[in-house]
Amino acid sequence: MPKKTKKEEDGDIKRFKAFVTTVLGKKGAKVFAQNNAIWEEKFEKDEPELENFVLKAIEFDNAACAVILMDDWMKRMNSSKNYEKWTKNTPQIKKLILDDVYFQIKTDVFRTSMEKFGGRKGITGIMLKSSDEAKKGNLAQASELTKPLVEMLQDNPFVSNDFFHYVSISEEMEWFIYLHYKEPSRILTRNVNFICPIEHILLRSGFNAFERKDYFEAEKYFLEAKKWNPFSVNGLRGLSLAYRNQKKWNELLITVKECFKYAYRPSHFKSLYNLLIDYFAEKDKDKDALCCNYLKMFYVESDSDRKKVARDIQFLHRIEKYENGIKRTTGKLCDDYLYNTVDILREKKNKRNSLQGKSTITMKDVQKSSQKYGYPMGVNPEIVEIAKTLFQKASQSGKTKNAEYFKGILDDLEKCSEKMKDLQKIGSHRRIHRTLN
């Protein structure tokens, strides 16, 4: 960067003084200027950490917060006792102290903008109302409710930079998944969800847009939500749905595989395998679709739910397609699989004998499909370990509510993992219907 001339520097100073007056008022700006003259030399010689910090704040983030931070710091340091105490801190401790002050300023600024909505509680109420309107089919009203909230977010002070990374993660399990997977860094991370449920605002807006069939807008909301919580299973699932309905099949496959890595509830896996089934159905890969239907069976418990899955198989595959001008029916492959694997369609039971031995789906097929397309056959073991560790810590520290929360997740994951271990033991020569009978 070329060195500035004296005239350019004078212009910068003039603009900065005008800006300080806007932020602090005339009287505040006068005191600020007096304090700044006192501390200017110490800024340059004794407090390089503070000067660099403030300059970076102005360059990358909300400059008003930086001015308030400087003003607050100088007022505090006018006390010789406070200054002596400050100088005894290490540079790292100084940075943490400044971070706390800086974050509090940002929080105050943002909470002021939230007051017209009734604060965080009021915003949560608006989103619940939006969700209720969407369930009633009042999609336009649901979107109108969240629109002002989205506009508020466009001017939020929590902008990540070289020093701070701001996230909005509402689910406790996902917060610890974030801590587990984020790259080691000296950049400080702040979860601002307790100030404002930013992630929820964007997800609610995304699903509202999706229900209105505005899939392009839904995609934008889900991508923005991903910036605030890259490990949100609900957000990644929503993004996958937007991709599916826009026929962005490559993006769909990439996002679904990413989501599998962080999934921690049986419902997550069911929805993800459903999306894969849609992907393979679009690509005319019937056997791969049936493999995913089989894997989905491991995430349903009751006979009624298993029956729904079986009917889904019929619904998805009892279709007529054309290949090279010749009509072919894929329903037969589905029927062979269905009657050989799932003994819950009682009204079809009399047909089973005539179809025994015709299924073309084996465990080897499932393994091949999984390896070829890179989707997992079960739960990510790292997620199980995270849940186990968190449950143990919560139990040992006497945090009953947290322990119950993580125990519920752990029980579900371990149950699914055990089923997958049984799956792995099945020889590739054996037909998969033997595991379900």
Side-chain angles (χ1 to χ4, degrees):
M1 183 180 295
K3 189 175 181 181
K4 288 190 176 184
T5 65
K6 183 69 167 60
K7 186 176 180 180
E8 287 174 325
E9 289 178 350
D10 290 343
D12 287 342
I13 292 171
K14 187 176 181 179
R15 282 190 295 273
F16 183 69
K17 284 181 177 179
F19 178 72
V20 172
T21 303
T22 303
V23 175
L24 302 178
K26 288 184 178 180
K27 289 183 179 179
K30 186 176 180 180
V31 175
F32 181 87
Q34 292 170 347
N35 288 333
N36 189 58
I38 295 170
W39 286 98
E40 188 173 356
E41 186 176 346
K42 290 184 177 181
F43 261 23
E44 294 176 356
K45 294 183 179 179
D46 301 333
E47 300 298 333
E49 305 93 353
L50 180 66
E51 185 180 33
N52 289 336
F53 177 85
V54 172
L55 289 175
K56 283 290 185 182
I58 293 173
E59 182 182 349
F60 288 104
D61 211 341
N62 190 313
C65 289
V67 169
I68 297 171
L69 173 64
M70 292 167 68
D71 187 44
D72 181 82
W73 187 87
M74 287 187 292
K75 286 176 181 176
R76 196 180 304 178
M77 291 303 108
N78 277 338
S79 163
S80 57
K81 184 179 178 181
N82 286 344
Y83 182 68
E84 184 180 352
K85 186 177 179 181
W86 166 266
T87 56
K88 291 179 180 178
N89 291 319
T90 64
Q92 183 60 27
I93 296 298
K94 288 178 180 179
K95 187 173 183 299
L96 291 174
I97 293 171
L98 291 168
D99 169 47
D100 287 336
V101 177
Y102 191 48
F103 183 70
Q104 189 56 54
I105 293 169
K106 282 177 171 283
T107 300
D108 292 343
V109 169
F110 196 40
R111 278 182 172 152
T112 299
S113 68
M114 293 167 58
E115 286 177 1
K116 61 182 177 182
F117 301 108
R120 191 186 193 286
K121 186 176 181 180
I123 288 173
T124 302
I126 291 171
M127 288 193 296
L128 286 173
K129 190 174 180 180
S130 175
S131 179
D132 290 341
E133 292 295 332
K135 288 176 183 176
K136 294 175 185 176
N138 302 327
L139 302 179
Q141 178 63 20
S143 298
E144 282 300 311
L145 285 167
T146 57
K147 187 177 178 180
L149 301 180
V150 174
E151 291 174 353
M152 175 192 69
L153 295 183
Q154 292 172 357
D155 194 31
N156 83 86
F158 300 112
V159 180
S160 297
N161 57 44
D162 286 358
F163 290 95
F164 313 109
H165 185 63
Y166 298 104
V167 297
S168 175
I169 302 176
S170 56
E171 187 70 35
E172 194 167 1
M173 182 64 182
E174 289 176 3
W175 169 244
F176 286 101
I177 291 174
Y178 170 82
L179 294 177
H180 177 79
Y181 280 109
K182 81 180 188 101
E183 295 180 5
S185 171
R186 293 182 179 180
I187 297 176
L188 298 169
T189 300
R190 294 279 193 178
N191 187 358
V192 300
N193 182 70
F194 75 96
I195 301 167
C196 179
I198 297 174
E199 176 194 7
H200 272 181
I201 292 172
L202 293 168
L203 291 183
R204 181 68 262 155
S205 300
F207 283 113
N208 284 344
F210 183 84
E211 291 299 325
R212 296 196 321 269
K213 299 184 179 180
D214 190 341
Y215 306 124
F216 179 73
E217 185 177 357
E219 177 188 341
K220 288 198 297 184
Y221 280 126
F222 290 131
L223 284 173
E224 185 63 24
K226 188 179 178 182
K227 294 176 184 177
W228 290 94
N229 182 4
F231 304 98
S232 169
V233 177
N234 201 28
L236 290 170
R237 183 180 68 86
L239 183 59
S240 300
L241 288 168
Y243 285 147
R244 181 197 66 185
N245 286 30
Q246 293 179 89
K247 300 188 183 301
K248 294 183 177 181
W249 299 108
N250 290 337
E251 291 89 341
L252 164 67
L253 184 59
I254 291 169
T255 306
V256 167
K257 289 193 292 184
E258 180 183 3
C259 195
F260 265 118
K261 186 176 179 181
Y262 314 124
Y264 56 92
R265 295 190 187 280
S267 58
H268 296 163
F269 293 93
K270 284 189 289 185
S271 61
L272 292 174
Y273 283 122
N274 273 337
L275 284 163
L276 283 179
I277 290 166
D278 291 343
Y279 172 82
F280 288 125
E282 171 64 23
K283 299 293 183 180
D284 288 336
K285 298 184 181 298
D286 306 302
K287 186 176 287 188
D288 295 296
L290 292 177
C291 288
C292 288
N293 270 302
Y294 169 64
L295 291 172
K296 190 172 69 171
M297 287 289 186
F298 285 82
Y299 299 95
V300 295
E301 296 297 327
S302 66
D303 273 0
S304 61
D305 284 340
R306 290 166 64 84
K307 187 171 183 177
K308 287 177 184 177
V309 175
R311 290 199 182 283
D312 283 345
I313 296 173
Q314 290 180 312
F315 177 76
L316 288 167
H317 290 278
R318 194 176 294 281
I319 53 178
E320 292 184 342
K321 299 181 180 179
Y322 290 85
E323 186 175 342
N324 298 324
I326 302 172
K327 185 168 71 173
R328 65 184 179 85
T329 302
T330 58
K332 186 62 168 61
L333 178 63
C334 167
D335 289 341
D336 288 352
Y337 166 73
L338 184 63
Y339 303 139
N340 277 282
T341 59
V342 187
D343 189 15
I344 58 175
L345 297 179
R346 306 302 180 189
E347 69 274 20
K348 301 284 187 177
K349 190 172 181 180
N350 61 326
K351 294 186 179 182
R352 282 193 64 199
N353 291 334
S354 63
L355 291 167
Q356 283 289 350
K358 293 182 180 179
S359 174
T360 58
I361 306 297
T362 67
M363 192 58 243
K364 190 174 181 180
D365 293 321
V366 178
Q367 291 168 339
K368 278 185 176 181
S369 179
S370 171
Q371 291 170 2
K372 181 176 180 180
Y373 294 98
Y375 65 85
M377 292 172 60
V379 178
N380 179 356
E382 289 186 43
I383 299 298
V384 179
E385 286 304 311
I386 292 172
K388 186 181 295 183
T389 300
L390 293 171
F391 165 64
Q392 291 171 347
K393 286 182 177 179
S395 299
Q396 291 167 2
S397 60
K399 296 179 180 179
T400 307
K401 190 175 181 179
N402 281 0
E404 290 175 355
Y405 169 79
F406 291 118
K407 183 65 164 60
I409 292 174
L410 181 61
D411 285 346
D412 282 342
L413 288 175
E414 288 186 332
K415 189 183 296 183
C416 295
S417 294
E418 286 302 314
K419 289 179 180 178
M420 288 302 107
K421 286 179 183 177
D422 293 339
L423 181 66
Q424 298 292 346
K425 294 177 183 177
I426 302 171
S428 61
H429 63 285
R430 297 178 62 186
R431 299 199 181 281
I432 57 178
H433 73 272
R434 299 184 186 181
T435 66
L436 296 176
N437 285 343

